[in-house]
Amino acid sequence: MAGPRTDHHVILRVVAKPLIPIIALFALYVHFHGDYSPGGGFQAGVIIVVAVVLYALIFGITPAMRAVPPVFARSLAALGFIIFAGVGVWALIMGGNFLDYDVLFNEEPGGHMGQHYGIIAVEVGVLFAVAGSMLSIFYAFAGRVTEIKDEDW
Amino acid sequence: MIAGYSGADLAIALINVLLLGLLFVIGVAIARMRSLFAIVMLSGIYSLISATWFVALDAVDVAFTEAAVGAGISTALLLGAMLLTARTAKPEPFARSIVPILVVIATGAMLVYATIDLPAFGDPDSPANTYVGTDYLERTPQEIAVPNIVTAVLASYRGFDTLGETGVVFTAALAVILLLGFGERSLSATFNRKKDKK
């Protein structure tokens, strides 16, 4: 990419490098704390993608595609949707209605394990689907322009 | 003191006026601008300010989503889309913008007229706070046992809606992929073209 003469984004790179893992960690916090505070799979998925997009913007699209391959992104999107719909089918198999978490574990009335794990599974599905879809969209756009020169802006 | 407001209420009212005024100014600026880069950046700022406004309205979940999706990923995606096209929008002749301006003014006037019938903000007797909303608030501790009622409604009571939303996001990604390709193949094609030129 940029040689020593043209690399004047060194401050950007140094600042972004520690930020990216923090953003990813924050996404996980938002996801797993979604039961207690604002947030959940949707927001967490978007935030995780922002970490990858930031990496792609600063270090280039090719290293980003090497770190998180596009085929992984689109498989993740499909897997997420399958997890969500699969929880619904699981409830169907257990004899309840589609997405009725109460029947997931055949528990007594008043038990909340089905609701608890059902919501967690569904949120994981949303996280995967949103993160994979957003990243696929970003790759589709970004794959068309190789290097953005400064005079392009 | 302004009539009808006192103390904290006045502060919140002033913050609301300030944020909505900022949104209005940014909206006008976006409509008048021609540089797509500036428009994309301003729309990100628009999302950020509306997220702040949602916090002022106590809709923290909506604010969080607006900040993450509107200001975060949308801005990045719009920048990516902008790089595939020209950097500036063509100037529109004034004669062609008269009809849109009239439509916008008429719609805006109708919306303002409709707000007269809306219940007051936070009114406990409003339709949104009486029927199904109170039901969710009362039943969630027994039925779902999740502290955040928004999560209970989103993932459990309205699970079908959320499944549909996830499907919409997935379909959007599919549509973009069908139109533009996966990304890696077009990337390597561009690299090969560059090599051929050299």
Side-chain angles (χ1 to χ4, degrees), chain A residues 33-130:
Chain A
H33 220 253
D35 282 4
Y36 304 96
S37 60
F42 203 91
Q43 293 90 333
V46 172
I47 293 173
I48 261 193
V49 172
V50 165
V52 182
V53 167
L54 184 63
Y55 184 79
L57 286 180
I58 289 170
F59 296 95
I61 183 73
T62 324
M65 278 190 179
R66 222 175 292 132
V68 187
V71 65
F72 173 76
R74 52 182 184 262
S75 319
L76 196 71
L79 180 73
F81 193 69
I82 288 173
I83 290 177
F84 200 144
V87 174
V89 175
W90 179 13
L92 278 183
I93 292 171
M94 296 302 284
N97 289 323
F98 190 68
L99 286 175
D100 179 6
Y101 310 135
D102 280 329
V103 299
L104 286 184
F105 295 105
N106 259 336
E107 51 191 343
E108 302 289 309
H112 294 125
M113 219 174 60
Q115 290 288 347
H116 190 63
Y117 288 104
I119 289 178
I120 286 180
V122 158
E123 291 271 7
V124 166
V126 173
L127 171 80
F128 284 4
V130 169

Side-chain angles (χ1 to χ4, degrees), chain A residues 4-27:
Chain A
R5 203 165 45 87
T6 53
D7 186 12
H8 52 269
H9 295 309
V10 62
I11 295 176
L12 206 59
R13 280 163 214 262
V14 170
V15 172
K17 225 170 201 176
L19 265 181
I20 289 166
I22 293 174
I23 293 174
L25 200 64
F26 180 64

Side-chain angles (χ1 to χ4, degrees), chain B residues 124 128-150 152-153 157:
Chain B
N129 285 337
T130 41
Y131 305 103
V132 76
T134 0
D135 243 30
Y136 287 147
L137 287 176
E138 281 168 358
R139 286 185 182 190
T140 299
Q142 290 95 44
E143 288 186 354
I144 318 283
V146 162
N148 186 0
I149 289 168
V150 176
V153 174
Y157 289 119

Side-chain angles (χ1 to χ4, degrees), chain B residues 41-165:
Chain B
M41 284 301 147
L42 275 182
S43 64
I45 294 170
Y46 186 93
S47 289
L48 210 58
I49 291 175
S50 34
T52 321
W53 184 55
F54 290 144
V55 173
L57 292 178
D58 281 341
V60 202
D61 275 272
V62 184
F64 199 168
T65 316
E66 179 67 40
V69 178
I73 196 77
S74 296
T75 311
L77 289 181
L78 280 175
L79 279 179
M82 187 200 82
L83 287 172
L84 303 180
T85 172
R87 296 293 186 274
T88 47
K90 273 187 203 148
E92 283 285 324
F94 181 72
R96 278 178 63 186
S97 53
I98 288 176
V99 176
I101 286 176
L102 286 180
V103 170
V104 165
I105 289 175
T107 317
M110 278 192 278
L111 286 174
V112 170
Y113 177 68
T115 55
I116 299 169
D117 276 345
L118 280 180
F121 174 67
D123 181 7
D125 297 326
S126 71
N129 285 337
T130 41
Y131 305 103
V132 76
T134 0
D135 243 30
Y136 287 147
L137 287 176
E138 281 168 358
R139 286 185 182 190
T140 299
Q142 290 95 44
E143 288 186 354
I144 318 283
V146 162
N148 186 0
I149 289 168
V150 176
T151 304
V153 174
L154 182 110
S156 191
Y157 289 119
R158 300 273 172 98
F160 269 66
D161 285 3
T162 313
L163 179 66
E165 276 168 29

